[in-house]
Amino acid sequence: MDNAGKEREAVQLMADAEKRLKASHSFLRGLFGGNTRIEEACEMYTRAANMFKMAKNWSAAGNAFCQAAKLHMQLQSKHDSATSFVDAGNAYKKADPHEAINCLNAAIDIYTDMGRFTIAAKHHITIAEIYETELVDIEKAIAHYEQSADYYKGEESNSSANKCLLKVAAYAAQLEQYQKAIEIYEQVGANTMDNPLLKYSAKDYFFKAALCHFIVDELNAKLALEKYEEMFPAFTDSRECKLLKKLLEAHEEQNSEAYTEAVKEFDSISRLDQWLTTMLLRIKKSIQGDGEGDGDLK
Amino acid sequence: RNQMSRDFCVHTWPCSYYLELEKRWVPGKLWLTSLSLKFLTDKTGDFLVSFSLADIIEIKKEASHFIFSSVTILEKGHVKHWFSSLQPNRNVVFHIIEHFWRELLLSQPGGAVEASSSRMTKGKELTGLMACSQKRLEDAARVLHYQGEQLDSITSSLDNMESDLDVADRLLKELESPSWWPFSFKLWKMPSDTNSRGGSSMASTKALGKEGIVIRIPAVISQGTESHVKPGRLTILVSGLEIHDSNSLLLHRFEREDVDDIKVHTHYEVSIRQRFIGKPDITFRLISAKMPEVVPILEMQFSKKIEFLEDALMLRSTGTSSPAAKGYSVWQAASRPVDCARHREPSSGNQEGRLLQLQMSEPLISEEDTQELRQILGKLKGLALDAEAELERQDEALDGIATAVDRATLTIDKHNRRVKKLT
């Protein structure tokens, strides 16, 4: 692969495009000819960007796509402009996450302006994922997931909206914002329990909501459990509900052995995921609070 | 008081740690004890990071800068720690840390061994299998529903396209009468993405023959070289040792006579080896938080073949020299199963038969398990029926989409020809 050659060619193209653009400004402003010049410059920027991509020079590619997007805007073709911004975002994602977010935000502005909310929502998710993995700014990631969920709901794509909301809830619980997590889980659970296909997963959401209640306050968890059983009778015979009852009992007696036994039995049938492990550990800690459990963390 | 006995160092790995503020990697050692995780720099020998395992929120395998494989650990309060260039490789470290984290939740504080309760009954195994397939089917149902929604939105956007095409048709008609054409006309583009995801794969599991199980513990297993590490289980039977992976698939079975030596590396780590003439040895290396409970049993069963390496020997001697001071030490706790193993030991011949008899007299599947199984089966059936209904609906929707797309293509073709004539 001749990457250096590609890069040189791309730089050359960028320079040409700039020249062409200047020409359109000085001589043929406002005429038809000016527009075709801009169009040509725009195409050159895109080609340069693709060459930078081949040479793996991501930030240069992002920059070129950005230029193309701005020219598209000048030419009043919003759709092309948005696509170029998304391309720019994808290129920047590999080099400069902040710049990628700026580009994607620009694309989102255009899409919402055109009323294409589903696409806007999709890019909000992309931004949220960048915040989540690259920048580890969970608060901002949550905000974008919420925005995306709102857009999806407006477009009646409820499963996509629920997917985003569940992410928000999981993070909220990790950040110990249990109230928020509970609200979301209850809402999603209530939404899904009447759907013939989704009602089988509703128990998971109620289980998670009850666990969040449990961490905050044992009594609340009991009340919540009763409420869920009333709302959704199928919850009563689920393994999750039985586990909760056992855990509540063990917690009341401050019996950490019974607690562990119950959790272990559940885990032997279906393996606990990391989120559940975290939450169950937090509850277990509250049992051991005054016991010997704390002592050995020195 | 018992912190000494329970906070042994389990393992150290050379690795590097990312300093968020200074944006650079520092080399050092990752230090795992049974209760906490620490990072020690090579240069100054300071503990840069130290947190208890209980504060972990999430462990992930990630790539930093898209190239370097790392393990990331999210601590309470969303502090993310990056550990990279891990030796021998990332998977080993990941599985071992995850294992010890989970054991915090799953193991009893006193280290009491429940040889009987950790034994899976047939009914439990069946329930596990069913629960697993139920979960898979639930996921599949969710995906199916999502797909249904996508198909619906495609139908509605096709409707939009059709009305747009009508507008184009009208405009073209207008244009066809006078003969001038100043604008460039863009064709309608159609975004269509239907992604059908394949069905879920069912984890196949194999029930194991039941015979005199002494103890079964979860463990992290590596075979031969340390590059392949996966979570699994070690089962000690009266007649030998069995090693299973996490799907309960039998990886290897050592008959009792076949085991040539067992090395106890540290408190938590043993390796078991079978020698062959003219063939490579079969070696398994096992790490488990429950290992202290198992070592005494292994010692009973394979007294001649077991070998304590230096570290373990030291720990062992401290363990036995002052048992009273330790109070509730692991060793003491572990001595209980030794006693019962000792009981069985002398008559291992007819004892196997006795155990078999014992299990025969038990009903194969208990009442409770049957109840559970019945429930799950009912749910599975309901799910399958609902999935069928949804699939039929989607089928119809797809038919509609196919005809609409055909129609649209035809109209676009027609428009194209007319536009060409105009230019």
Side-chain angles (χ1 to χ4, degrees), chain A residues 138 158-160 174-176 195-197 200 203 205 237 239 257 264 267 272 274 278 284 296, chain B residues 6 57-59 76 78 102 104-105 108 114 138 142 145-146 149 372 375 382-383 386 390:
Chain A
I138 302 298
N158 286 325
S159 351
S160 308
Q174 284 184 349
L175 290 171
E176 309 191 18
N195 185 302
L197 269 182
Y200 299 93
K203 63 176 187 337
Y205 309 136
D237 3 282
R239 284 187 316 118
E257 251 168 62
K264 199 168 155 192
D267 181 74
L272 294 165
Q274 296 199 344
T278 311
K284 187 173 179 180
D296 46 30
Chain B
R6 293 178 59 189
I57 290 179
E58 204 171 35
I59 308 173
K76 206 173 177 179
H78 272 266
R102 280 166 51 82
L104 268 191
L105 177 65
Q108 291 289 9
E114 335 74 41
E138 275 165 21
R142 229 172 336 200
H145 180 80
Y146 178 56
E149 256 178 24
E372 187 90 29
Q375 248 173 46
L383 252 171
D386 288 333
E390 171 72 15

Side-chain angles (χ1 to χ4, degrees), chain A residues 39 77 79-80 83 93-95 116 122 132-134 136 138 152 156-160 163 166 171 174-176 195-201 203-205 234 237-239 242 246 256-261 263-265 267-278 280-282 284-285 288 292 295-298, chain B residues 1-3 6-7 35 38 52-60 62-63 66 74 76-78 80 82 94 98 101-110 114 117-118 120 124 127-129 131-132 134-135 138 141-142 144-146 149 186 189 191 193 197 231 246 290 368 372 375-376 379 381-383 386-387 390:
Chain A
E39 256 168 44
S77 53
H79 193 273
D80 287 335
T83 326
K93 208 156 78 174
K94 297 165 187 78
R116 308 286 302 274
K122 213 169 102 192
E132 204 179 324
T133 53
E134 295 295 310
V136 204
I138 302 298
Y152 273 131
E156 289 295 316
S157 341
N158 286 325
S159 351
S160 308
K163 237 189 254 172
L166 289 174
Y171 279 123
Q174 284 184 349
L175 290 171
E176 309 191 18
N195 185 302
L197 269 182
L198 300 180
K199 67 182 178 209
Y200 299 93
S201 329
K203 63 176 187 337
D204 285 335
Y205 309 136
D237 3 282
S238 66
R239 284 187 316 118
K242 282 176 196 157
K246 273 187 210 163
S256 94
E257 251 168 62
Y259 181 90
T260 311
E261 193 52 45
V263 173
K264 199 168 155 192
E265 196 192 324
D267 181 74
S268 74
I269 286 177
S270 53
R271 195 181 152 93
L272 294 165
D273 62 18
Q274 296 199 344
W275 190 90
L276 287 176
T277 311
T278 311
L280 290 169
L281 261 178
R282 284 184 187 168
K284 187 173 179 180
K285 244 188 172 173
Q288 292 170 334
E292 45 107 46
D296 46 30
L297 292 181
K298 69 163 183 181
Chain B
R1 153 175 64 100
N2 53 10
Q3 138 199 343
R6 293 178 59 189
D7 208 18
L35 290 170
K38 291 168 190 155
S52 83
L53 284 181
D55 286 339
I56 291 180
I57 290 179
E58 204 171 35
I59 308 173
K60 266 204 251 179
E62 279 182 87
F66 297 93
L74 212 55
K76 206 173 177 179
H78 272 266
K80 197 168 187 176
W82 289 81
F94 174 81
E98 196 196 24
W101 180 48
R102 280 166 51 82
E103 282 307 313
L104 268 191
L105 177 65
L106 297 177
S107 65
Q108 291 289 9
E114 335 74 41
S117 72
S118 64
M120 292 264 271
K124 274 268 159 52
T127 321
L129 268 179
C132 180
Q134 191 194 354
K135 203 163 164 29
E138 275 165 21
R142 229 172 336 200
L144 198 61
H145 180 80
Y146 178 56
E149 256 178 24
K186 281 229 169 68
K189 265 193 271 168
D193 59 319
R197 275 184 240 173
S246 51
K290 289 260 177 67
E368 195 184 333
E372 187 90 29
Q375 248 173 46
I376 296 178
K379 271 183 203 154
K381 190 181 167 197
L383 252 171
D386 288 333
E390 171 72 15

Side-chain angles (χ1 to χ4, degrees), chain B residues 265-276:
Chain B
H265 297 277
T266 68
H267 227 84
Y268 296 96
E269 194 172 352
V270 300
S271 60
I272 302 167
R273 187 160 67 140
Q274 178 178 2
R275 280 203 206 97
F276 288 97

Side-chain angles (χ1 to χ4, degrees), chain B residues 288-417:
Chain B
S288 169
K290 289 260 177 67
M291 205 51 92
E293 297 158 15
V294 176
V295 172
I297 300 173
L298 286 173
E299 206 182 345
M300 291 301 310
Q301 279 204 346
F302 304 96
S303 50
K304 296 238 173 63
K305 294 164 182 166
I306 202 159
E307 183 185 345
F308 287 91
L309 296 184
E310 215 170 317
D311 275 355
L313 204 62
M314 195 191 71
L315 294 172
R316 190 169 164 243
S317 60
T318 57
T320 43
S321 62
S322 58
K326 284 272 154 75
Y328 213 39
S329 87
V330 222
W331 283 98
Q332 208 183 13
S335 65
R336 239 173 296 160
V338 182
D339 288 341
C340 59
R342 207 174 268 145
H343 272 298
R344 293 176 191 172
E345 192 62 19
S347 56
S348 87
N350 60 20
Q351 170 244 356
E352 235 170 285
R354 198 170 359 120
L355 264 174
L356 269 178
Q357 225 172 20
L358 200 87
Q359 272 138 20
M360 286 310 215
S361 62
E362 275 173 30
L364 265 178
I365 297 169
S366 71
E367 193 59 34
E368 195 184 333
D369 288 334
T370 336
Q371 202 67 29
E372 187 90 29
L373 279 173
R374 189 178 299 144
Q375 248 173 46
I376 296 178
L377 271 176
K379 271 183 203 154
L380 280 178
K381 190 181 167 197
L383 252 171
L385 286 174
D386 288 333
E388 196 195 350
E390 171 72 15
L391 273 175
E392 267 165 21
R393 196 190 69 80
Q394 287 191 12
D395 209 26
E396 271 166 39
L398 273 174
D399 275 347
I401 288 172
T403 51
V405 168
D406 275 350
R407 219 168 35 227
T409 339
L410 271 179
T411 351
I412 289 175
D413 273 351
K414 225 174 4 191
H415 285 180
N416 262 345
R417 273 200 302 277

Side-chain angles (χ1 to χ4, degrees), chain A residues 122-188:
Chain A
K122 213 169 102 192
H123 294 307
H124 268 302
I125 293 184
T126 317
I127 294 182
E129 278 164 0
I130 295 176
Y131 275 124
E132 204 179 324
T133 53
E134 295 295 310
L135 303 170
V136 204
D137 188 340
I138 302 298
E139 300 279 350
K140 285 217 174 89
I142 287 181
H144 280 276
Y145 275 127
E146 279 177 328
Q147 183 65 62
S148 157
D150 279 349
Y151 284 162
Y152 273 131
K153 244 189 224 158
E155 298 294 295
E156 289 295 316
S157 341
N158 286 325
S159 351
S160 308
N162 282 346
K163 237 189 254 172
C164 297
L165 283 176
L166 289 174
K167 282 245 172 165
V168 173
Y171 279 123
Q174 284 184 349
L175 290 171
E176 309 191 18
Q177 302 166 358
Y178 298 114
Q179 207 48 47
K180 188 171 180 181
I182 290 167
E183 265 166 39
I184 293 174
Y185 281 129
E186 285 183 353
Q187 188 194 333
V188 174

Side-chain angles (χ1 to χ4, degrees), chain B residues 52-92:
Chain B
S52 83
L53 284 181
D55 286 339
I56 291 180
I57 290 179
E58 204 171 35
I59 308 173
K60 266 204 251 179
K61 290 187 240 183
E62 279 182 87
S64 65
H65 303 111
F66 297 93
I67 312 169
F68 308 110
S69 56
S70 328
V71 169
T72 61
I73 294 174
L74 212 55
E75 198 197 333
K76 206 173 177 179
H78 272 266
V79 186
K80 197 168 187 176
H81 301 281
W82 289 81
F83 300 100
S84 191
S85 43
L86 292 152
Q87 299 286 337
N89 77 18
R90 170 173 72 158
N91 287 357
V92 182

